């Protein structure tokens, strides 16, 4: 929902309720212009005084103090904060909680303040201008909350509208000065939030966040957490799992839990730390084994002390038990034992609190093997929130049945932006596409898992963008849909850097997360991208280089005040990603060059060493130079040369090859689409097919295997073959480009020799296969045309989308590895019957020369079977044949899952029979949750990581 302002006559002081997205500052109620009826928050060098009752919650006072500081940063003037006297000025700001603030209560009782829709609601607030609210007061800006956090959120929403980013400290986002601040007259309300508890989990905090916290604060002390609590509240979060690898939130600094409660943060412990006890406490002082069967009394005492220490502070108690150190319990663990553990834990809650256990918020996390216990019949009381989890890679494992309202405790979601574990850690940079997060959390929202959302943010930095999106979406999922996600990134960029460059910065953010999501940096290796086919590795490297150049150019257009924030949020992740990809790709080229004896081999080894140093320098700048060294250690995370799932102790230079070139000149030829080199290879050198629809340009590398330069000549056997050069001198290597003049090329398939002559009698003949084709008589020029034996079609480029049964197709732009994703909505709709008249499906028109059995490969997001019904399904048919049903999860072993999440794609195939000509492929919707990214039709398609680039598509083809 967007903020709407309706300007009424000045005499009208109460307005209709206005609901907005929490991010929509661009449409906000703070203006620099004075329109009739506006409230002068800052005018003529004076800031309106702020009044908060000393009877209100401590967290409200803390938020009010933060507002005072924000107003000072924005205006240069300190407003007066008063807590012990009634408002007494012509213009005042009054903030308070209904039922706590005497001034708010008075306004409500007199009917001066309209709290319709927020009173008695969870975490709701209203901001309203009121005329003549108190004796001697002409006008008031009133911020009224339904409860403690409702008021806090109302205050921080004003801070955000002033232009203060939640990341002003955590990412050094500058605060713009304003010469005047006026509040547009009216009434503005938010809440209640869609998700009751919305939080983050600091995890995997070594070596980055942990070392930074020790260096800056002596550990995870209250000084650290005060900064974090404020950040969470500024983003309308309310819940935290604290850092826990070696730290204990409650015992390391006794002020930690006290301040959490004072600020208004609901505390919890992780999925494997029951009863408000950090596992670090057991590791330091626990007696005996972490085994309930053999050490039950000791564990019950340990847990009892945790509940006693919790007291009456707002908390959500984790229930159940996992093995020691966040591992699975023994295979012999039985459901009866786990149910007894939960029963005994609830008895402790009853004994310590003196209340029925149902009155203490609790959760049971169905994490990893714990979900298996649930699926096999283990149950906990209905008042316990079932915390459903993803697979640690952003794919939800389980969702409640549609319409399930049986559990009073409801359902929650534990999600990941960071992970330590197989198939590989991913901790270094942000690799999370907002589009995928939206798609998965939209599933959770529509399936009613709205009690609690918590996301593992690792070191917090550099997860700023996805963290804020996660909390914003939890607050109001209706504010952002598949068509407005780009607006979110743009608005977020404007929050940090202003509107001038917001669109360009948003494009940079969306693009680098797309690139990084293709494969986590930690999973990259020299063999990831193909050096042989489609020039894939070169295109990947070039894309990163271009993106880095764009980011660096934009950096030069920003003022000095923005440089630190821009480096953290935009430039560093792009530049660092570009360096790492170039390092691995150059290593792969070095290995290939060595195998071919290229004279340039050693230069590539030197370049890898330089890139390795550049990577180190990038981290050094972030740690030691950026913001005066404020973030030292935050980029200590290792990320180069993993050998298994766990991180290397130090970044390791890849293995490089060096050779001794021949003492004389020696010709070598390598061609696109082939791993061999000539003249060593005895079979003919044949380039991939040149076709008149795709009109490709192919590369031929002419290289020297010796240390003496040589001259070369190139001659084509037909005038319509274009060569970028016909002669020259080779020191180490040159790239020759071969293309076709299609105006001059004859129709049909022709084989044209391209002859390269080098030193001595060295001669290599390359065959160019040229196919000038046209459609058969009567064929409609629509859709895609096969080239090279395959047809590749991006999901969003369908010819026609057929809706039916109340189900429609939705393109999610930027989702996926290459272009966009396509889903069906609503995501709660039941399964469809493929092939039935009117059943929802996509149609892709394509033209082929194939005859006989052909493979259709469907590229899908690695969504899981979140209903545990045996697998998600789709169907494919060509023309009028019966649809072939395909199960995404028919073979989904551990190894298959690891490949799917590592590649960030799931490829499924079906076989069909074709004849040459025009066909219509139909992709049938069966189950909700399937995300289509790409379709490839063809046998023996040349291998690559991303699959073949999209085939030629007739320009008059448009989506319907």
């Amino acid at each position: 929902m967007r903020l709407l302002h309706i300007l009424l006559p000045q005499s009208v002081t109460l307005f209709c309720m206005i609901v907005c997205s929490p991010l929509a500052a661009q449409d906000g109620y703070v203006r620099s212009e004075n329109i009739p009826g506006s409230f002068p928050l800052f005018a003529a060098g004076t800031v309106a005084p702020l009044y908060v009752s000393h009877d209100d919650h401590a967290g409200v006072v803390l938020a009010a103090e933060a507002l005072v500081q924000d107003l000072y940063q924005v205006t240069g003037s300190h407003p007066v904060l008063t807590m012990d006297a009634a408002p007494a000025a012509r213009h005042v700001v009054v903030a308070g909680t209904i039922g706590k603030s005497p001034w708010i209560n008075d306004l409500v009782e007199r009917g001066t303040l309209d709290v319709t829709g927020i009173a008695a609601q969870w975490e709701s607030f209203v901001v309203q201008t009121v005329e003549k609210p108190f004796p001697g007061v002409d006008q008031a800006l009133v911020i009224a909350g339904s409860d403690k956090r409702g008021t806090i959120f109302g205050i921080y929403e004003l801070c955000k509208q002033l232009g203060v980013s939640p990341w002003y400290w955590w990412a050094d986002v500058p605060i713009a000065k304003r010469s005047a601040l006026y509040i547009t007259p009216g009434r503005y309300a938010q809440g209640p939030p869609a998700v009751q508890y919305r939080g983050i989990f600091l995890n995997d905090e070594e070596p980055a966040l942990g070392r930074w916290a020790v260096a800056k604060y002596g550990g995870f002390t209250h000084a650290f957490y005060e900064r974090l609590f404020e950040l969470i509240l500024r983003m309308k979060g309310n819940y935290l799992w604290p850092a826990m690898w070696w730290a204990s939130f409650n015992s390391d600094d006794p002020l930690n839990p006290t301040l959490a409660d004072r600020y208004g943060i609901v505390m919890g412990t992780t999925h494997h730390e029951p009863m408000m006890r950090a596992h670090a406490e057991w590791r330091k002082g626990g007696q005996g084994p972490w085994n309930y069967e053999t050490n039950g009394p000791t564990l019950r005492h340990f847990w009892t002390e945790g509940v006693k220490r919790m007291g009456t502070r707002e908390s959500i108690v984790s229930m159940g038990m996992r093995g020691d150190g966040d591992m699975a319990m023994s295979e012999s663990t039985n459901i009866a034992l786990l149910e007894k553990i939960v029963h005994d834990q609830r008895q402790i809650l009853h004994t310590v609190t003196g209340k029925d256990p149902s009155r203490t918020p609790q959760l049971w996390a169905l994490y990893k093997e714990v979900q298996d216990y649930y699926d096999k019949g283990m149950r906990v009381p209905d008042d316990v929130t079932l915390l459903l989890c993803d697979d640690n890679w952003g794919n939800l494992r389980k969702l409640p049945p549609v319409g399930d309202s049986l559990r009073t405790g409801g359902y929650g979601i534990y999600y990941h932006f960071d992970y330590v574990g197989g198939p590989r850690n991913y901790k270094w940079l942000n690799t999370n596409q907002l589009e995928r997060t939206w798609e998965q959390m939209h599933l959770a929202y529509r399936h009613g898992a709205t009690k609690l959302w918590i996301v593992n943010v690792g070191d917090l930095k550099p997860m700023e963008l996805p963290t804020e999106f996660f909390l914003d979406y939890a607050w109001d999922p209706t504010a952002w849909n598949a068509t407005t996600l780009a607006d979110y990134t743009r608005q977020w960029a404007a929050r940090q850097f202003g509107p001038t460059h917001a669109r360009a910065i948003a494009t940079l953010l969306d693009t680098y997360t797309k690139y990084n999501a293709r494969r986590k940096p930690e999973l990259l290796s020299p063999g990831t991208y193909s050096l042989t086919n489609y020039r894939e590795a070169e295109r990947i490297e070039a894309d990163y280089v271009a993106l880095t150049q764009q980011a660096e150019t934009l950096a030069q257009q920003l003022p000095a005040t923005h440089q630190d924030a821009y480096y953290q949020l935009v430039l560093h992740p792009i530049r660092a990603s570009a360096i790492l990809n170039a390092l691995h790709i150059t290593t792969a080229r070095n290995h290939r060059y060595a195998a071919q004896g290229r004279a340039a081999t050693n230069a590539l080894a030197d370049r890898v060493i330089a890139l390795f140093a550049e990577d180190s320098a990038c981290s050094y700048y972030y740690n030691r130079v950026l913001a005066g060294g404020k973030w030292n250690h935050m980029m200590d995370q290792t990320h180069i040369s993993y050998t298994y799932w766990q991180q290397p102790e130090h970044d390791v230079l890849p293995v490089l090859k060096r050779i001794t070139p021949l003492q004389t000149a020696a010709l070598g030829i390598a061609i696109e689409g082939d791993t061999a080199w000539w003249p060593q290879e005895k079979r003919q050198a044949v380039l991939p097919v040149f076709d008149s629809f795709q009109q490709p340009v192919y590369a031929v590398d002419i290289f020297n295997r010796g240390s003496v330069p040589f001259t070369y000549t190139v001659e084509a056997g037909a005038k319509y073959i274009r060569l970028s050069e016909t002669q020259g001198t080779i020191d180490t290597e040159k790239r020759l480009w071969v293309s076709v003049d299609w105006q001059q090329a004859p129709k049909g398939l022709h084989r044209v020799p391209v002859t390269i002559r080098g030193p001595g009698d060295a001669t290599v003949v390359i065959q160019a296969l040229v196919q000038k084709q046209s459609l058969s008589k009567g064929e409609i020029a629509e859709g895609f045309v096969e080239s090279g034996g395959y047809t590749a079609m991006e999901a969003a480029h369908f010819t026609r989308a057929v809706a039916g049964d109340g189900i429609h197709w939705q393109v999610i732009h930027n989702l996926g590895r290459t272009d966009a994703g396509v889903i069906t909505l609503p995501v709660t709709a039941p399964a469809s019957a493929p092939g039935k008249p009117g059943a929802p499906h996509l149609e892709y028109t394509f033209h082929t020369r194939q005859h006989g059995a052909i493979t259709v490969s469907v590229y899908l997001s690695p969504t899981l079977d979140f209903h545990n019904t045996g697998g998600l399904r789709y169907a494919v048919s060509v023309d009028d044949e019966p649809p072939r049903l395909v199960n995404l999860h028919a073979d989904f072993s551990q190894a298959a899952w690891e490949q799917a999440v590592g590649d960030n794609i799931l490829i499924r195939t079906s076989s069909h029979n074709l004849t040459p000509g025009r066909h219509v492929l139909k992709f049938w919707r069966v189950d909700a949750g399937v995300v289509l990214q790409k379709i490839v039709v063809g046998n023996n398609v040349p291998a690559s990581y991303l699959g073949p680039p999209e085939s030629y598509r007739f320009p008059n083809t448009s989506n319907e």
Side-chain angles (χ1 to χ4, degrees), residues 517-530:
R518 288 170 172 167
R519 192 166 186 84
K520 308 288 189 187
E522 293 85 348
L523 275 162
L524 288 172
S525 73
T528 296
Y529 296 111
S530 176

Side-chain angles (χ1 to χ4, degrees), residues 693 775 780-786 791-793 797-799 843-847 918-919 951-958:
F693 285 109
L775 300 181
I780 300 173
E782 178 184 57
F784 297 87
V785 180
E786 174 192 299
T791 309
M793 303 174 284
H797 296 162
F798 46 81
T799 309
E843 294 183 0
Y844 298 86
T845 302
F846 68 101
H847 304 261
R918 178 182 181 273
H919 297 277
S951 299
Y952 175 80
R953 177 170 169 246
F954 283 106
N956 63 335
T957 301
S958 60

Side-chain angles (χ1 to χ4, degrees), residues 551-605:
E552 291 173 343
T553 299
L554 203 151
Q556 297 170 7
Q557 301 173 37
L558 296 174
T561 53
H562 291 59
Q563 293 299 322
D564 285 347
Y566 184 77
Y567 187 83
Q568 293 169 64
L569 300 176
V570 184
L571 184 55
H572 173 265
I574 292 174
R575 181 182 288 165
S577 300
I579 292 169
L580 186 66
N581 276 268
L583 182 146
H584 285 298
I585 291 169
T586 306
T587 299
R589 292 174 61 213
N590 166 258
H591 292 178
R592 173 164 291 187
Y593 278 30
Q596 296 173 347
R598 296 199 194 193
T601 299
N602 298 345
L604 290 182

Side-chain angles (χ1 to χ4, degrees), residues 779-780 782-784 793 798-802 841-848 856 876-882 912-915 917-924 935 937:
E779 261 189 279
I780 300 173
E782 178 184 57
F784 297 87
M793 303 174 284
F798 46 81
T799 309
R800 193 162 71 104
V802 177
H841 64 276
L842 299 172
E843 294 183 0
Y844 298 86
T845 302
F846 68 101
H847 304 261
T848 182
V856 173
V876 172
S877 64
V878 177
D879 301 327
D880 296 325
E881 70 172 349
H912 307 262
N913 286 303
L914 295 180
T915 56
R918 178 182 181 273
H919 297 277
V920 177
L921 183 148
K922 298 176 183 177
F923 179 88
W924 298 88
I935 299 174
V937 180

Side-chain angles (χ1 to χ4, degrees), residues 321-358:
M321 188 176 181
R322 291 194 79 215
D324 198 1
D326 196 18
M327 301 298 289
M329 296 176 74
S330 68
E331 291 185 7
S332 61
T333 300
N334 58 65
I335 289 175
L337 173 62
L338 289 169
E339 288 179 336
K340 174 175 170 52
I341 290 171
V342 173
H343 174 272
D344 293 351
Q345 290 171 339
R346 284 171 66 87
Q347 185 59 47
I348 292 171
L349 290 175
H350 173 69
T351 301
V352 174
T353 67
K355 301 182 296 185
D356 187 279
S358 63

Side-chain angles (χ1 to χ4, degrees), residues 648-711:
E649 195 67 27
H650 305 284
D651 286 328
V652 179
L653 183 70
V655 175
L656 299 173
K657 307 288 186 180
R658 290 188 180 274
I659 67 167
T660 300
L662 300 174
Q663 295 301 307
T664 60
L667 172 69
I669 300 293
I671 64 174
E672 183 172 342
D674 205 315
T675 58
W677 67 276
W678 287 263
Q680 173 175 285
E681 180 62 40
K682 300 311 176 188
R683 60 182 169 83
Q684 276 196 328
V686 183
L687 285 167
V689 175
F690 292 87
D691 82 273
S692 53
F693 285 109
Q694 200 81 16
Q695 298 189 6
V697 177
Y698 291 127
V700 174
D701 287 345
I702 308 172
F703 58 87
N704 194 347
R705 302 183 67 242
S707 55
V708 178
F710 65 83
T711 58

Side-chain angles (χ1 to χ4, degrees), residues 3 29 95 134 155 296 303 319 324 358 366 488 504 522 597 640 757 790 869 902 930 934:
L3 173 62
Y29 52 77
F134 306 109
I155 293 171
W303 292 336
M319 310 295 285
D324 198 1
S358 63
L366 304 189
Y488 183 93
E522 293 85 348
I640 301 176
R757 295 182 175 88
Y790 65 84
T869 55
V930 174
K934 187 178 194 173

